[in-house]
DNA sequence: GTATTGATCTTCT
DNA sequence: GAAGATCAATACA
């Protein structure tokens, strides 16, 4: 279950799409409904859902999941015992799901992916994490009270 | 509890 | 040559 995301828009200095298309952010420019995976700090993979139309360059970064099934698979991939840490962060999440650059550009409405709507939830917004530009935009969204978000209690 | 640091790749200056 | 949408172990208070 997705418990935390961040928005990245076109004309957003913090977005990878801000300074034009490159080889690795190409899929951010659409079409929407696909997965964008990029390498972070040389050693991690981070997963986005592309949500802008063709040529726009907008996406939602998946920051944290609450693992509800396949726990053993995730642990096997991550070699980490604490289930709290399994998916609480973009790099962890991608590793737990086995996402790599190979999955960049794949459609989320086709196997092996499956997205389902959840019930109504309480969402709080806060400042985005780990960026230096446009950091004041409150574009981070998390489930209120969830203990699986990557940082405790985003400021509402 | 907060602070520091190594791992290591792509793009930008 | 440096910074970046990071993680986790280690060091210190």
């Amino acid at each position: 279950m997705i418990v935390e995301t961040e928005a990245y828009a076109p004309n957003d200095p913090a977005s990878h799409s801000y300074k034009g298309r490159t080889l690795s952010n190409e899929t951010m420019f659409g079409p929407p409904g696909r997965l964008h995976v990029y390498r972070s700090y040389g050693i991690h993979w981070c997963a986005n859902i592309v949500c802008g139309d063709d040529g726009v360059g907008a996406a939602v970064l998946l920051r944290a999941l609450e693992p509800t099934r396949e726990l053993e698979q995730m642990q096997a991939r991550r070699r980490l015992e604490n289930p709290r840490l399994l998916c609480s962060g973009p790099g962890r999440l991608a590793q737990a799901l086995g996402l790599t650059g190979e999955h960049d550009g794949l459609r989320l409405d086709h196997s092996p992916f499956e997205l389902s709507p959840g019930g109504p939830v309480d969402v709080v917004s806060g400042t985005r994490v780990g960026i230096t530009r446009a950091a004041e935009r409150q574009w981070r969204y998390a489930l209120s009270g969830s203990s699986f978000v990557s940082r405790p209690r985003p400021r509402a």
Side-chain angles (χ1 to χ4, degrees):
Chain A
M1 177 169 71
I2 298 173
V3 298
E4 185 183 356
T5 62
E6 278 176 12
Y8 287 89
N11 300 324
D12 176 0
S15 171
H16 288 166
S17 62
Y18 182 61
K19 293 189 178 175
R21 331 164 66 119
T22 66
L23 275 180
S24 55
N25 73 8
E26 177 66 26
T27 63
M28 256 185 108
F29 289 87
R34 304 211 283 186
L35 192 69
H36 174 230
V37 184
Y38 73 94
R39 197 184 287 289
S40 168
Y41 291 89
I43 50 182
H44 294 291
W45 296 103
C46 295
N48 299 251
I49 298 178
V50 178
C51 54
D53 284 332
D54 272 0
V56 171
V60 169
L61 168 70
L62 303 179
R63 281 200 59 85
L65 303 182
E66 176 174 341
T68 56
R69 41 192 242 213
E70 315 273 355
L71 273 269
E72 288 120 23
Q73 273 233 32
M74 297 186 184
Q75 288 180 348
R77 290 194 184 104
R78 307 242 323 123
R79 283 182 215 139
L80 217 164
E81 299 153 22
N82 193 341
R84 192 60 78 63
L85 299 179
L86 264 185
C87 299
S88 67
R92 293 165 172 162
L93 177 157
Q95 190 186 1
L97 296 184
L99 296 174
T100 70
E102 300 173 20
H103 301 90
D104 189 57
L106 295 185
R107 302 177 49 138
L108 282 163
D109 57 351
H110 279 196
S111 174
F113 300 109
E114 182 182 338
L115 277 181
S116 327
V121 290
D122 267 344
V123 174
V124 292
S125 68
T127 55
R128 294 183 286 184
V129 175
I131 57 175
T132 57
R133 291 173 299 236
E136 75 286 355
R137 299 190 188 180
Q138 310 257 310
W139 284 358
R140 175 176 176 230
Y141 301 97
L143 283 207
S144 171
S146 170
S147 50
F148 289 88
V149 296
S150 61
R151 303 215 169 176
R153 307 179 212 289
R155 304 182 344 219

